[in-house]
């Protein structure tokens, strides 16, 4: 049995001080007609224990939105969203469920930034990385230095951020819908040399929903989930190079080979928590030339990516799948991607785990 | 059994606060540092404490002694700036050094002299056969009430010795004696962040009386005379007192200066005199006899006669030298000092 | 209390000392005392203690602020190649302004990792400083 994405919705990623986890979930479901008829709910979320003192968020969400269907929460750090879609596809394919609501929801603004930074750092190994003072931007900075030492220019990373901001302008739910210039990097605060705030994802609360069904919608062409895979990398401190994102690169290569798809012709959403990571992945895949020209990609992170659309940690993967779904169907902010395939890539930490979900129209 | 120092190690943080800056900030005349014999003092970083510094010194001492954690039967940690008011530092350091579980381990407190007392306890343990080797650590991140005279001197540093059989050791502990009275010259009450002292009263009846008495007792008991000592190291609360007490004992300045570290390091409390001894072990010619006299407020002194052995120069090469650590220095401002030592009142627990 | 004494107590050996896991199957070495080789999954492993000496291969000056971290910011996070050939990532301390250089020799030191101020436990562990 197949698994099809038949609908979804997304809230603007923002500092939603007036909305908690349950409110965000309700808001996004309210805006999603397809979300009502479901027999299973999977909530994707990374931080509720830390930011809202809540366990078993799946059940509390379905109770709040007035459903009486089985629910559970999926947590796999930053890649929770794609993990939830993966699980939804397998529930539907196996016949365990008919229509699954995948609900990505995250609050990152319940505490000051330094506390949010601490929560986010816990995607790393608390005992042997976090306690030792290692943080996500420290790894990203080390990876950036490695790439720069191997000839990748600084502008390559800045260029990615500029491109993401351009893409996000027309995306209704994007957090940062404005353009930035190379000039603005000069005044950007350093997180970890040479990495700056402008190399980092936008941090906001968010909720996104997609419905995964065993049957396509009648009369339209719901994209089918034709690939859903995951790979685990080595901890960054055990690699020869932090920037060797072998799990992501290997998984993307395998998905493309298996389906015979060309990433440059597909609607692709790459995990760009820090600008260095998509560049490292594209380099690993052999797509990066000396000029860092990514013009060969027709639909690369049209959402604006984590960089500009934003990164509500555990919800991000659901946003990605929703965006690809929209690009392949009735359009995202007026743009469509008439591609045969749409691919969402997500990872947690610096390639600790990598996940890929591919839709085919 | 004769007892000796089989290995030694020191640790002096690299950061230094200028005594002139302290004077300028707190409105002392710029000539005061010279009168105290102070140039600068060492400052530990924010993630350092008596345990971490003591660990470093002890690691070097064990390397020089050629012993492993299995060879250490007792750990004595002398400090008056324990990271925990209740909970031993000796256990932290022992575990981090891989010292076996079957051991004695305790923190000793007697102001600046606890580590010196640890040395004498060790002599007793080794002599009696209760221990083969002991590890004695003196380590302090000394506190001073900001703006107090102690602010010129109270500093951070550590020193450690492996005490064991004299045969094959770096220095033989020929004789030792202690002299203790109840003299309230310097103290810190429970819950008080900084010590108090009785200023001029810390001198004559406290520092000078105890050191002179202990030194004289040692000479009486051993029959040694002042001329028999090639070097003398005294507790060094500032740069002046050790020279004054030497004068009182009739010891020429040139025998004291090689072991005088305080003018450039500050008063490292439990490491103070023993840091001077470590320096001499690295610099003195074999067969030199050293008079070592500690002092701790409250008050007491231990006097030792120590003879440097032939192996000392070779062992000195096996670790960082005190002189090198004194030279490897980075100046910090009073504000950096305040941040490093946690002197600023902050909201915590967030 | 935010920090758990028992959690740290349980792992203190790996924090206080630098152990290396040597794999009897694939021959590779990895930092930390581990039950299983992270490269090949074999449990035919044994452990050795590092000398604590190494070379700084790379580093970054970090300003990223997280809970109660302002006391030790900015700080340096570096990649150290131990003389045993194993890499370890950790904090580099005892560094004055603009002193760090790639290729510098460094040695392991015991420092505070975290402290549950004002009344909780203090966590200690290995960092590195220039030799
Ligand atoms: Zn192996």
């Amino acid at each position: 049995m197949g698994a099809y994405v038949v609908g979804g919705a997304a809230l603007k990623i923002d500092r939603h001080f007036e909305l908690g986890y349950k409110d965000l979930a309700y808001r996004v479901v309210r805006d999603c007609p397809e979300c009502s008829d479901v027999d299973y709910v999977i909530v994707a979320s990374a931080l509720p224990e830390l930011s809202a003192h809540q366990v078993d968020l799946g059940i509390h969400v379905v109770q709040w939105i007035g459903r009486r269907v089985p629910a559970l929460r999926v947590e796999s750090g930053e890649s929770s969203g794609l993990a939830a879609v993966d699980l939804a596809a397998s529930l539907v394919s196996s016949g365990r469920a008919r229509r699954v609501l995948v609900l990505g929801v995250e609050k990152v603004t319940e505490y000051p930034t330094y506390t949010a930074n601490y929560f986010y750092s816990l995607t790393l190994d608390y005992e042997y990385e976090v306690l030792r003072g290692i943080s996500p931007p420290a790894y990203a900075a080390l990876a950036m230095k490695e790439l720069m030492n191997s000839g990748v220019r600084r502008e390559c990373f800045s260029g990615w951020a500029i491109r993401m901001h351009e893409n996000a302008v027309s995306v209704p739910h994007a957090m940062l819908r404005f353009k930035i210039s190379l000039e603005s990097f000069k005044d950007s605060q350093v997180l970890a040399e040479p990495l700056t705030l402008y190399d980092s994802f936008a941090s906001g609360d968010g909720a996104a929903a997609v419905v995964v069904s065993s049957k396509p919608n009648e009369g339209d062409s719901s994209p089918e989930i034709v690939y859903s895979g995951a790979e685990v990398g080595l901890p960054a401190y055990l690699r020869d190079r932090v920037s060797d994102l072998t799990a992501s690169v290997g998984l993307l290569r395998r998905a493309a080979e298996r389906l015979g798809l060309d990433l440059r012709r597909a609607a692709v959403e790459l995990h760009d928590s820090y600008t260095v990571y998509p560049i490292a992945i594209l380099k690993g895949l052999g797509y990066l030339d000396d000029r860092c020209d990514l013009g060969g990609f027709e639909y690369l992170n049209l959402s604006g990516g984590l960089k500009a659309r934003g990164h509500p940690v555990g919800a991000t993967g659901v946003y990605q799948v929703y965006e690809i779904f929209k690009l392949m169907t009735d359009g995202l902010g007026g743009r469509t991607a008439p591609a045969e395939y749409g691919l969402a890539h997500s990872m947690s930490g610096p390639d600790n785990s990598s996940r890929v979900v591919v839709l085919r129209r | 059994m004769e007892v000796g120092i089989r290995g030694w190690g020191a640790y002096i943080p690299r950061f230094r606060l200028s005594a002139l800056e302290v004077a300028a900030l707190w409105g002392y005349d710029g000539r005061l540092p010279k009168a105290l014999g102070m140039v600068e003092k060492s400052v530990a970083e924010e993630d350092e404490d008596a345990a971490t510094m003591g660990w470093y010194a002890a690691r070097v001492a064990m390397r020089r002694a050629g012993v492993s954690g299995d060879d250490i039967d007792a750990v004595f940690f002398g400090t008056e700036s324990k990271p925990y008011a209740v909970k031993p530092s000796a256990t932290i350091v022992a575990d981090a050094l891989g010292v076996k579980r079957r051991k004695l381990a305790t923190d000793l407190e007697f102001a600046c002299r606890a580590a010196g007392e640890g040395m004498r306890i060790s002599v007793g343990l080794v002599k009696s056969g209760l221990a083969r080797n002991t590890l004695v650590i003196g380590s302090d991140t000394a506190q001073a009430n900001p703006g107090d005279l102690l602010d010129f001197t109270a500093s951070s540093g550590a020193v450690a010795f492996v005490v064991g059989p004299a045969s094959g050791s770096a220095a033989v502990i020929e004789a030792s004696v202690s002299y203790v009275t109840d003299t309230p010259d310097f103290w810190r009450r429970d819950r008080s962040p900084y010590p108090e002292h009785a200023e001029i009263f810390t001198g004559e009846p406290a520092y000078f009386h105890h050191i002179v008495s202990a030194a004289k007792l040692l000479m009486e008991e051993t029959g040694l005379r002042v001329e028999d000592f090639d070097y003398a190291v005294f507790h060094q609360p500032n740069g002046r007192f050790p020279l004054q007490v030497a004068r009182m004992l009739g010891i020429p300045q040139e025998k004291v200066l090689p072991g005088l570290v305080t003018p450039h390091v500050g008063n490292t409390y439990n490491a103070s005199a023993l840091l001077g001894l470590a320096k001499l072990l690295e610099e003195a010619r074999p067969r030199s006899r050293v008079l070592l006299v500690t002092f701790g407020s409250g008050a007491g002194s231990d006097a030792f006669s120590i003879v440097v052995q032939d192996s000392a120069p070779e062992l000195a090469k096996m670790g960082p030298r005190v002189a090198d650590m004194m030279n490897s220095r980075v100046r910090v401002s009073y504000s950096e000092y305040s941040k490093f030592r946690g002197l600023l009142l902050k909201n915590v627990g967030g | 209390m935010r920090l758990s004494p028992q959690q740290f107590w349980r792992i203190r050996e790996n924090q206080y000392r630098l152990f290396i896991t040597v794999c009897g199957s694939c021959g590779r070495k990895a930092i930390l005392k581990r039950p299983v080789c992270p490269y090949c999954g074999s449990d035919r492993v044994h452990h050795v203690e590092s000398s604590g000496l190494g070379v700084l291969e790379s580093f970054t000056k970090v300003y990223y602020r997280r809970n109660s971290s302002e006391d030790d910011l900015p700080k340096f996070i570096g990649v150290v190649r131990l003389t045993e050939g194993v890499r370890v990532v950790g904090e580099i301390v005892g560094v004055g302004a603009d002193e760090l250089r790639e290729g510098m020799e460094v040695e392991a030191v015991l420092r505070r990792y975290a402290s549950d101020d004002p009344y909780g436990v203090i966590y200690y562990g290995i960092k590195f400083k220039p030799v």
Side-chain angles (χ1 to χ4, degrees), chain C residues 26-37:
Chain C
C26 75
R28 295 195 66 173
K29 297 192 256 184
I31 194 68
L32 297 178
K33 199 178 252 196
R34 300 163 176 276
V36 173
C37 170

Side-chain angles (χ1 to χ4, degrees), chain B residues 14 17 33 68 82 89 137 140 175 209 224 241 282 323 328:
Chain B
R14 296 186 64 209
L17 177 64
S68 77
K82 284 162 61 96
S89 314
I137 300 165
D140 267 307
H209 173 72
L224 290 165
F241 275 21
E282 292 156 13
S328 171

Side-chain angles (χ1 to χ4, degrees), chain C residues 23 25-28 37 39-42:
Chain C
C23 180
S25 294
C26 75
R28 295 195 66 173
C37 170
Y39 298 104
C40 76
S42 167

Side-chain angles (χ1 to χ4, degrees), chain A residues 42 57 74 107 123 125 132 143 194 222 237 255 260 327:
Chain A
I42 301 174
L57 184 67
V74 166
K107 286 292 294 178
T123 52
D125 183 329
R132 294 177 173 212
S222 309
Y237 65 87
L327 285 166

